[in-house]
Amino acid sequence: MATSIVRRMREALRWLFTLDEPQWVDAEQVDDSLEQDVRFLRFQLTKTRSELTELSQRPDSFPQRFAALFHMPEEVLCRLPCRYEIGRSGGNWAVVLERCVFCGCAVKTEAFQSERDALLYTALLQTAGFRLRNNLSCSQCYSEYLKSSGLSVE
């Protein structure tokens, strides 16, 4: 009777913890001795508890952090540290997302109707962990590079 319970537990654990990575011990590799079965189940239980502890300690506050940004007044958004350049272009506000690595001109920008919208956008990007790309060049610098290197684009 004890061996049938152990076999059922093996099958349940195998089904529960099927992963692409071979980090779990295959229950068929364990001998049929009851002592090894108990050790195997204790190991699986300990491993599961440690993963649960790790998952429970992860910060799941993304929704709260994003929601807080939407309710911030413009004065508070202005004081937040910002790694993006916000400027006025014509009647709109613009956020520079990508810069040319050669001349430093703005390659990609996003336009907004108000300063608050631009500040909110940059705060959301920073909260999400968005990083600027460092390997872009503008069309002028790229054509100049092609001329200087003697390469042709067909």
Side-chain angles (χ1 to χ4, degrees):
M1 182 173 150
T3 56
S4 67
I5 293 173
V6 171
R7 288 190 198 283
R8 285 185 196 164
M9 287 296 292
R10 279 185 185 172
E11 290 173 11
L13 286 172
R14 190 179 317 137
W15 175 81
L16 187 61
F17 297 110
T18 53
L19 300 173
D20 295 334
E21 304 165 5
Q23 60 179 326
W24 294 95
V25 177
D26 187 14
E28 299 302 320
Q29 294 175 351
V30 178
D31 291 341
D32 285 331
S33 73
L34 188 59
E35 192 174 311
Q36 280 188 331
D37 289 341
V38 170
R39 275 193 242 139
F40 171 75
L41 292 173
R42 282 185 182 157
F43 168 74
Q44 296 289 22
L45 182 61
T46 304
K47 185 108 171 150
T48 305
R49 283 181 179 159
S50 69
E51 288 176 355
L52 178 64
T53 303
E54 180 185 329
L55 288 173
S56 66
Q57 291 175 352
R58 285 187 184 169
D60 290 333
S61 62
F62 271 119
Q64 291 87 5
R65 292 188 349 214
F66 281 114
L69 292 174
F70 285 102
H71 299 289
M72 283 185 186
E74 187 174 340
E75 299 80 34
V76 177
L77 286 171
C78 285
R79 289 189 302 239
L80 290 177
C82 180
R83 70 171 69 112
Y84 304 97
E85 182 182 335
I86 300 172
R88 202 163 171 93
S89 63
N92 292 334
W93 289 85
V95 175
V96 178
L97 296 176
E98 308 291 344
R99 291 209 164 271
C100 176
V101 294
F102 298 113
C103 69
C105 69
V107 175
K108 183 179 178 185
T109 60
E110 287 288 332
F112 296 93
Q113 291 184 357
S114 69
E115 182 182 17
R116 186 190 190 296
D117 292 342
L119 290 168
L120 179 61
Y121 184 72
T122 59
L124 290 170
L125 287 176
Q126 286 187 188
T127 302
F130 180 77
R131 300 273 186 240
L132 297 173
R133 289 177 33 199
N134 303 1
N135 58 353
L136 295 177
S137 63
C138 63
S139 58
Q140 284 181 319
C141 291
Y142 185 69
S143 61
E144 196 174 310
Y145 167 75
L146 290 177
K147 286 179 192 174
S148 67
S149 64
L151 299 173
S152 64
V153 178
E154 297 175 14

